[in-house]
Amino acid sequence: TQLLEQSPQFLSIQEGENLTVYCNSSSVFSSLQWYRQEPGEGPVLLVTVVTGGEVKKLKRLTFQFGDARKDSSLHITAAQPGDTGLYLCAGEGAGNNRKLIWGLGTSLAVNP
Amino acid sequence: NAGVTQTPKFRILKIGQSMTLQCTQDMNHNYMYWYRQDPGMGLKLIYYSVGAGITDKGEVPNGYNVSRSTTEDFPLRLELAAPSQTSVYFCASSYGQFNEKLFFGSGTQLSVL
């Protein structure tokens, strides 16, 4: 069974701090997607990483896909209250397995 | 552009009642999905559709039914509601490749009492 483990589960920081959240698996994924979900809303796609070792930047957010395509990280620089939310990663199975595996998420609170 | 629209936003059902959760998208996406999200359990795929007239089971299909008569609409039917179906339900759609770049609706919070 493919699993995606996200850590930490909860994170509460002050505005301006940096943070990194992780998404790890023992399985290889063909791609990995990161979403942010705010209370009462559905997840919103932030980025998709496809190539092992790939790094993508979205303003203050930096996403990295592991060389072996088994793990990913999201680094936020100078966090702001607007970054508050649940960060979810979802890995798409490699080969003929197109199943999307979801992590349980990291709940981030950025305090003013 | 409305995106993915779900109705209702909230609903309370009694055990054994039936209801349909509505989902419509205006982006002409071929792929549509129904997920449920429970605390500590993450997002679980209930059913999906790769196009009008084609549907298939996901991980947790028991107790649910779907239909896809048009590209835009993908309703989810609960026939005999049970407390285990208390959850937040999300409809999503995508274009291009299956399971890539999902656009989600804002969800339906369902309680079965």
Side-chain angles (χ1 to χ4, degrees):
Chain A
T1 303
Q2 289 181 302
L3 292 174
L4 262 179
E5 296 184 356
Q6 290 192 244
S7 61
Q9 188 177 357
F10 299 100
L11 190 56
S12 180
I13 61 171
Q14 294 300 120
E15 182 175 1
E17 292 183 10
N18 301 332
L19 67 116
T20 302
V21 298
Y22 300 92
C23 178
N24 295 306
S25 177
S26 58
S27 302
V28 176
F29 295 104
S30 61
S31 67
L32 198 133
Q33 303 168 39
W34 283 94
Y35 293 79
R36 180 170 66 214
Q37 184 178 18
E38 297 184 11
E41 297 295 329
V44 175
L45 180 69
L46 296 173
V47 78
T48 301
V49 286
V50 179
T51 307
E54 182 177 6
V55 176
K56 279 192 174 179
K57 292 190 176 183
L58 186 67
K59 297 183 180 178
R60 294 175 293 99
L61 278 61
T62 302
F63 303 84
Q64 185 164 5
F65 201 14
D67 291 340
R69 291 184 289 133
K70 293 182 179 181
D71 54 81
S72 182
S73 64
L74 159 60
H75 182 79
I76 300 179
T77 303
Q80 298 177 1
D83 296 325
T84 293
L86 180 67
Y87 288 81
L88 295 163
C89 63
E92 185 179 6
N96 293 325
N97 177 13
R98 301 298 305 278
K99 188 177 179 181
L100 197 61
I101 308 297
W102 290 85
L104 297 185
T106 292
S107 180
L108 172 65
V110 182
N111 306 301
Chain B
N1 204 349
V4 179
T5 302
Q6 289 185 239
T7 56
K9 184 70 174 176
F10 302 95
R11 183 73 186 267
I12 298 174
L13 283 181
K14 294 183 179 179
I15 295 172
Q17 286 186 321
S18 301
M19 77 162 294
T20 299
L21 281 66
Q22 301 293 342
C23 175
T24 187
Q25 52 94 5
D26 62 359
M27 298 173 284
N28 201 33
H29 287 174
N30 284 331
Y31 305 105
M32 295 189 75
Y33 317 80
W34 274 105
Y35 280 92
R36 59 178 289 173
Q37 187 176 37
D38 302 290
M41 300 295 290
L43 283 161
K44 299 294 184 185
L45 182 64
I46 304 171
Y47 270 95
Y48 65 94
S49 170
V50 300
I54 306 170
T55 63
D56 208 346
K57 296 177 180 178
E59 298 176 76
V60 290
N62 291 343
Y64 307 95
N65 278 299
V66 294
S67 60
R68 183 96 183 269
S69 57
T70 66
T71 299
E72 295 78 20
D73 300 308
F74 190 40
L76 177 71
R77 178 86 177 159
L78 283 71
E79 290 294 348
L80 291 170
S84 62
Q85 293 177 304
T86 293
S87 186
V88 181
Y89 292 85
F90 289 101
C91 179
S93 69
S94 67
Y95 64 95
Q97 299 292 327
F98 178 65
N99 266 342
E100 289 188 2
K101 300 180 182 179
L102 273 63
F103 289 80
F104 283 83
S106 59
T108 295
Q109 187 170 327
L110 175 68
S111 296
V112 182
L113 305 175

